[in-house]
Amino acid sequence: MSFPLLRKNGRIQIGKYDVQDIIEKYDSPLYIYDEATLREQCRKIKNIVDLPNFRVYYSAKANTNIKLLQIIRSEGLCVDAMSLGELQQEEIAGFTKDEILFLSNNVPPKALEIIIEKELPVCLDSLTQLELYFSLSPKKPAYIRLNIGTAQGHHTKVQTAGKVKFGIPIEQIEDAFTLAKKYKQKITGFMFHNGSLFLDDTIYLNTINDMLALAEQYHDIEYIDFGGGIGIPYNREQQEPFPLDSFSEKLTAKLNAWMAKTKRQPIFAIEPGRFIVAECGIALATVQSVKQNYGVNFIGTDLGFNMLIRPEFYDAYHEIIHTTKEGIFNEPMQIVGNICESGDYLGKDRYLPVTASQDILLIRDTGAYGFAMSSNYNSLLRCAELLVTTQGEIQLIRKRESLDQLLTNQIYS
Ligand code: LLP
């Protein structure tokens, strides 16, 4: 399901309101999330395995807006945290220690001490960090992240198996257990994450098989986590969605067979981020210039890569829609932002209606890794975030930053 885009008299409506009125009230650019879509995605993913020992940990790195976290929690999902910052927001949203998994890499001792103090389950990503964890005398056993399987993902930057920095390679697994013995501690969980955004389930299911076969040999394992990565089709004309129904059947059958064979009932978990929040989010940008430079058409907006870096950073595709005009101008347009770099674009070679200054464009599927990856580059302000409630009302869920906030931590006289 994706953000409902309804047109009335040719103009996009957001909830009960015209897009222009929203920009006038809250300024441009903007991120807007649809509550009904978010809830629907939570339910879809939560129901893929109907077992009491199956858990979905929302991977909060995709979006940590506290209001969204509260909605996700109200749908019965757990959450992962990879920093004290994520943890703080999750705790404010109401997640308790039984609902949070701390899963990070290269964590400094001070941060790990705080996590141990809070008695959160922790998944460690290297033998060094595992030893550090054990040396701090935790009350909880350790989970470990294993680097197994075949890397997957929409870009090499987010493929996380094989010769990359993540996890403990399979040939070092016994070293991990030796460490546990040395500190009289235990390892009770295995986790893998092969990468982010795949729409085919073949490799994923193969790695799940490998993980289950491995866990069969280690009788202390009571937590088995298959990571995140389930994708969404950003380009709906060219991509098919992830086959959730057939994946659900296959996964359920596998887990049931494993439990019948081993007579064990571990917690099984997945950690999706993008699947839950990407499609409920849109960004709005206002056109500030239209020009042709040496035969190339540019539409310049106020949404730079400080607010949406995916197109520049990963060459990622996001659908771009004109909110108040229809039809198509027959020349390709380069849709760009307001940052001082040529790489600052939102979409290349797009066909849009004839566009003029102050028109409003909508960038689709930006709920995941949109605001979460924003910055103040060029001393631009981060924009506001809005929620469309299930009643179609609009709620401000994060204020636009102010110029004063840019000065907060600077020391000068
Ligand atoms: N678990 C772990 C350990 C992860 O590192 C990640 C994502 C996830 C779960 C959630 O993955 P997802 O279900 O969202 O694919 N900024 C990139 C994506 C980075 C993903 C990082 N790790 C993007 O915009 O495409």
Side-chain angles (χ1 to χ4, degrees):
M1 183 168 162
S2 63
F3 197 105
L5 293 176
L6 310 171
R7 273 190 200 264
K8 208 162 148 188
N9 304 325
R11 302 171 67 85
I12 294 269
Q13 306 291 300
I14 310 258
K16 293 180 180 162
Y17 305 91
D18 185 89
V19 74
Q20 184 85 45
D21 296 339
I22 294 173
I23 290 282
E24 267 160 34
K25 180 154 181 197
Y26 296 102
D27 211 346
S28 177
L30 277 178
Y31 271 104
I32 312 183
Y33 309 105
D34 182 58
E35 179 177 355
T37 308
L38 175 58
R39 289 192 182 279
E40 174 71 23
Q41 291 303 101
C42 289
R43 285 170 202 174
K44 271 195 208 160
I45 200 80
K46 198 172 168 244
N47 291 333
I48 62 166
V49 175
D50 186 17
L51 285 173
N53 52 335
F54 177 72
R55 279 198 202 162
V56 178
Y57 285 83
Y58 164 59
S59 195
K61 52 185 74 65
N63 192 321
T64 50
N65 184 291
I66 292 169
K67 182 71 199 178
L68 301 193
L69 289 174
Q70 286 171 334
I71 294 171
I72 291 167
R73 179 165 189 271
S74 75
E75 289 295 335
L77 273 63
C78 300
V79 75
D80 77 11
M82 74 156 295
S83 66
L84 294 179
E86 283 187 1
L87 179 61
Q88 181 186 40
Q89 294 166 88
E90 292 162 3
E91 286 176 338
I92 293 171
F95 286 97
T96 61
K97 65 177 184 183
D98 303 324
E99 298 164 344
I100 302 175
L101 168 69
F102 190 79
L103 194 174
S104 189
N105 60 89
N106 305 328
V107 187
K110 278 190 188 147
L112 209 48
E113 275 168 19
I114 295 173
I115 302 299
I116 289 173
E117 178 76 30
K118 288 177 181 280
E119 294 186 21
L120 296 176
V122 182
C123 184
L124 286 313
D125 176 67
S126 63
L127 295 177
T128 326
Q129 292 258 289
L130 185 65
E131 178 146 29
L132 170 66
Y133 179 75
F134 285 151
S135 72
L136 295 171
S137 312
K139 292 208 186 79
K140 292 240 176 215
Y143 300 164
I144 54 174
R145 175 170 178 167
L146 295 167
N147 181 333
I148 58 172
T150 308
Q152 281 191 282
H154 69 92
H155 192 283
T156 48
K157 286 178 184 166
V158 297
Q159 293 168 2
T160 51
K163 293 182 180 176
V164 294
K165 70 168 184 164
F166 291 104
I168 299 173
I170 202 73
E171 69 259 21
Q172 289 169 22
I173 194 166
E174 280 311 316
D175 300 340
F177 283 94
T178 308
L179 272 180
K181 228 182 240 157
K182 176 174 156 196
Y183 286 90
K184 300 194 171 49
Q185 294 274 351
K186 273 190 159 181
I187 294 170
T188 58
F190 286 164
M191 176 263 170
F192 77 84
H193 172 71
N194 281 346
S196 187
L197 204 173
F198 43 84
L199 292 169
D200 182 298
D201 62 2
T202 320
I203 296 178
Y204 193 37
L205 285 165
N206 285 342
T207 317
I208 290 173
N209 278 342
D210 293 348
M211 177 59 115
L212 290 172
L214 189 72
E216 214 177 302
Q217 301 164 39
Y218 291 88
H219 295 270
D220 283 345
I221 296 303
E222 49 200 38
Y223 177 87
I224 307 176
D225 183 333
F226 309 126
I230 296 179
I232 63 127
Y234 285 96
N235 190 335
R236 288 177 176 75
E237 279 174 16
Q238 291 180 14
Q239 295 171 313
E240 290 292 320
F242 182 84
L244 207 63
D245 291 343
S246 62
F247 174 73
S248 155
E249 275 173 34
K250 289 176 201 158
L251 182 59
T252 308
K254 265 183 212 315
L255 301 185
N256 277 322
W258 193 91
M259 288 191 292
K261 183 173 175 202
T262 61
K263 313 232 168 349
R264 286 158 57 192
Q265 278 226 332
I267 302 275
F268 295 113
I270 56 168
E271 297 161 11
R274 186 189 319 267
F275 183 86
I276 293 171
V277 287
E279 288 171 296
C280 77
I282 57 165
L284 294 182
T286 304
V287 175
Q288 305 298 345
S289 71
V290 179
K291 58 159 100 168
Q292 196 181 64
N293 282 3
Y294 300 109
V296 181
N297 297 310
F298 290 94
I299 294 180
T301 74
D302 55 9
L303 185 76
F305 76 68
N306 70 304
M307 281 315 306
L308 179 62
I309 203 168
R310 300 193 72 256
E312 149 125 26
F313 204 48
Y314 310 111
D315 241 334
Y317 178 92
H318 285 268
E319 193 180 340
I320 300 178
I321 296 167
H322 198 298
T323 64
T324 57
K325 292 177 185 155
E326 292 178 287
I328 283 187
F329 177 60
N330 61 1
E331 286 181 27
M333 308 299 286
Q334 314 308 316
I335 323 292
V336 299
N338 53 356
I339 301 278
C340 61
E341 298 191 22
S342 309
D344 178 31
Y345 74 94
L346 295 168
K348 285 182 180 161
D349 295 328
R350 301 301 175 88
Y351 289 86
L352 287 178
V354 176
T355 298
S357 174
Q358 303 313 306
D359 285 356
I360 299 164
L361 302 183
L362 183 157
I363 299 94
R364 218 167 168 188
D365 304 319
T366 49
Y369 308 110
F371 195 100
M373 294 179 81
S374 65
S375 77
N376 287 122
Y377 185 41
N378 284 189
S379 290
L380 286 162
L381 304 177
R382 286 190 180 82
C383 68
E385 293 181 291
L386 307 178
L387 179 75
V388 186
T389 66
T390 44
Q391 286 80 39
E393 294 301 339
I394 301 240
Q395 252 181 35
L396 180 65
I397 56 171
R398 186 192 303 260
K399 286 195 234 168
R400 186 179 161 76
E401 281 179 343
S402 67
L403 286 173
D404 281 351
Q405 280 174 282
L406 294 181
L407 304 179
T408 316
N409 287 341
Q410 297 209 46
I411 300 169
Y412 54 95
S413 53

